Amino acid sequence: MSLKAGIVGLPNVGKSTLFNAITKKHILAANYPFATIEPNVGVVVVPDERLSHLKDLYNPKSLVATSFEFTDIAGLVKGASHGEGLGNKFLSHIREVDAIVNVVRCFDNGEITHVEGKIDPIRDIEIINTELILADLEVIDNRISRIGKKMDMAKDKKELLEINALKHSKENLENGTPLRLANIKEEELEVLKSYNLITTKPVIYVANVNEDDAVVGDNEYTKAVKEYAAVENSGVIVMSCQIESDLSDLEDDEKKRFLEELGITNSGLDKLIYQTYNLLGLRTFFTAGEKEVKAWTFRKGMKAPQCAGVIHSDFERGFIRAEVMSYDDLLEYGTELKVKEAGKMRLEGKEYEMQDGDICYFRFNV
């Protein structure tokens, strides 16, 4: 299951530094706008302590964690929707992601220039939101122009649904409301999926602070970002992108000691990965054996055949049943045999809704 989160923000707010930390790649992170010209894509592993225990139990030849992609996209500036800066090139890349990570600068530093002249995270957020709204409005207006007279004459149920979706979207966007916050019917949102509109995507804000404030946790800027995000029910992660980048160069033991010395319990990067994973409604199931222990990503609500299809399309096409035990039961009883003896190994059919932490053996026939 290929899923992507796009890292966005104004120039010089810490996007590329964060991307360095996420992927352990050292792309250009220069102190001037547009240091990132092409989108940089990196695969991030989702930390999962359950894999370590499964490794100890099965001693597999291969251990594979689940992952998804982060894309670092060049800095957006005011007027991007009309071609300023990198303009529509930026916007075309962001349409391809599933969620948006909006990095906001929440620290003062006279040596690092700010494209708008001074630090104001709410202004920065609203610049980006405005550009994304204008970009989506252009898509909606173009579609309305193509439909033409049908907007008033259509009688077909499917056409009317699209027309209503377009009208309601246009109204909200013209009022400055991102579509993720708009009061639009579920069936209309379904129609809009084919347009790949940017403002329908969920958002997490990364409040990028300096090293001192990363320990304290909040400053006047981060408090403002949290208040703003609370209104639209978006998540906020306060972190120092520079600390996270420094941590990415360390081995796990060194990283742990470094965090302890700073008085930080959990890496901001780990928090971001978990929150992005959950924001997209993602969960993890496992396959386990002597050859391989592997984590697989699925969306909450998917049924057993769909999850089997994540592994291979033949598994879904010829699905018979799934043998399922929970990770917690395996942890409690210690071995598969004891799980079976306790009656905790289950046979599940096509209507079974997969749960996070399920360990599965799929039976199929093609």
Side-chain angles (χ1 to χ4, degrees):
M1 181 176 289
S2 178
L3 294 155
K4 296 179 183 178
I7 305 173
V8 304
L10 295 178
N12 290 353
V13 297
K15 299 184 316 305
S16 295
T17 305
L18 176 60
F19 182 80
N20 287 346
I22 285 173
T23 62
K24 298 186 179 179
K25 293 180 180 177
H26 294 281
I27 60 169
L28 180 63
N31 177 26
Y32 55 87
F34 313 128
T36 308
I37 304 300
E38 295 294 337
N40 294 272
V41 179
V43 177
V44 61
V45 170
V46 180
D48 196 326
E49 292 181 356
R50 295 173 295 187
L51 277 174
S52 297
H53 183 65
L54 292 174
K55 180 183 178 182
D56 292 340
L57 268 176
Y58 288 94
N59 193 27
K61 294 177 182 177
S62 173
L63 184 72
V64 184
T66 190
S67 62
F68 62 94
E69 291 182 359
F70 273 100
T71 303
D72 178 36
I73 303 168
L76 180 63
V77 295
K78 191 184 292 184
S81 58
H82 301 296
E84 293 295 324
L86 296 174
N88 290 326
K89 190 171 187 179
F90 165 91
L91 296 168
S92 67
H93 294 315
I94 198 175
R95 290 192 189 283
E96 298 169 5
V97 304
D98 301 289
I100 295 171
V101 177
N102 188 344
V103 182
V104 187
R105 181 169 163 183
C106 291
F107 65 90
D108 294 303
N109 186 330
E111 295 181 4
I112 302 176
T113 59
H114 191 291
V115 71
E116 289 295 320
K118 69 173 186 176
I119 309 303
D120 184 344
I122 304 306
R123 175 209 58 213
D124 294 354
I125 289 171
E126 291 181 343
I127 286 174
I128 289 175
N129 282 344
T130 297
E131 294 306 320
L132 302 185
I133 285 169
L134 290 172
D136 277 355
L137 188 57
E138 183 180 3
V139 172
I140 297 296
D141 284 339
N142 287 341
R143 179 59 180 163
I144 289 173
S145 295
R146 284 197 295 273
I147 291 175
K149 292 181 180 179
K150 281 186 180 180
M151 288 291 292
D152 300 316
M153 299 172 61
K155 294 182 180 179
D156 178 78
K157 188 176 179 180
K158 189 175 180 181
E159 288 180 344
L160 284 170
L161 183 60
E162 182 186 12
I163 287 165
N164 287 330
L166 290 168
K167 286 180 177 177
H168 293 152
S169 299
K170 183 176 172 65
E171 288 169 7
N172 278 281
L173 292 169
E174 285 181 338
N175 288 329
T177 304
L179 295 180
R180 70 180 184 277
L181 305 177
N183 187 20
I184 298 177
K185 294 178 181 178
E186 196 65 39
E187 59 265 31
E188 292 180 4
L189 284 173
E190 194 65 31
V191 171
L192 295 174
K193 281 184 179 179
S194 62
Y195 302 146
N196 215 10
L197 298 170
I198 304 169
T199 64
T200 60
K201 302 176 191 298
V203 173
I204 289 177
Y205 296 104
V206 169
N208 183 20
V209 298
N210 60 29
E211 287 86 340
D212 291 337
D213 286 337
V215 177
V216 175
D218 271 313
N219 59 33
E220 59 178 305
Y221 299 132
T222 62
K223 288 175 183 176
V225 173
K226 286 183 175 180
E227 288 174 8
Y228 186 96
V231 173
E232 59 178 49
N233 200 28
S234 293
V236 179
I237 302 290
V238 177
M239 71 163 79
S240 165
C241 294
Q242 187 56 57
I243 286 179
E244 300 300 326
S245 185
D246 293 342
L247 282 171
S248 69
D249 291 324
L250 303 178
E251 298 296 329
D252 288 343
D253 289 344
E254 293 176 305
K255 190 183 297 183
K256 187 176 179 181
R257 284 197 299 272
F258 185 70
L259 287 171
E260 287 173 352
E261 288 171 7
L262 290 174
I264 299 173
T265 307
N266 293 309
S267 159
L269 180 53
D270 284 350
K271 291 178 185 176
L272 175 61
I273 293 170
Y274 287 132
Q275 191 156 331
T276 307
Y277 200 70
N278 288 327
L279 180 71
L280 292 171
L282 304 181
R283 300 293 183 267
T284 304
F285 74 88
F286 302 94
T287 52
E290 292 181 0
K291 289 184 178 179
E292 181 182 72
V293 168
K294 187 167 183 176
W296 301 88
T297 298
F298 71 101
R299 286 192 186 277
K300 184 180 179 182
M302 285 175 65
K303 294 184 177 179
Q306 293 173 288
C307 289
V310 171
I311 299 174
H312 196 287
S313 58
D314 284 350
F315 284 27
E316 181 174 9
R317 188 159 54 92
F319 179 88
I320 300 172
R321 66 180 183 272
E323 295 180 16
V324 183
M325 61 179 166
S326 75
Y327 169 81
D328 289 339
D329 285 339
L330 182 60
L331 191 64
E332 179 180 349
Y333 292 99
T335 67
E336 276 191 27
L337 179 60
K338 288 181 179 178
V339 171
K340 288 178 181 178
E341 289 173 348
K344 298 292 185 178
M345 178 77 79
R346 313 181 308 277
L347 291 178
E348 301 288 359
K350 292 182 179 180
E351 294 304 310
Y352 175 69
E353 191 172 298
M354 195 69 72
Q355 300 299 308
D356 184 65
D358 278 350
I359 302 169
C360 306
Y361 301 90
F362 294 107
R363 305 302 179 192
F364 70 102
N365 183 30
V366 177

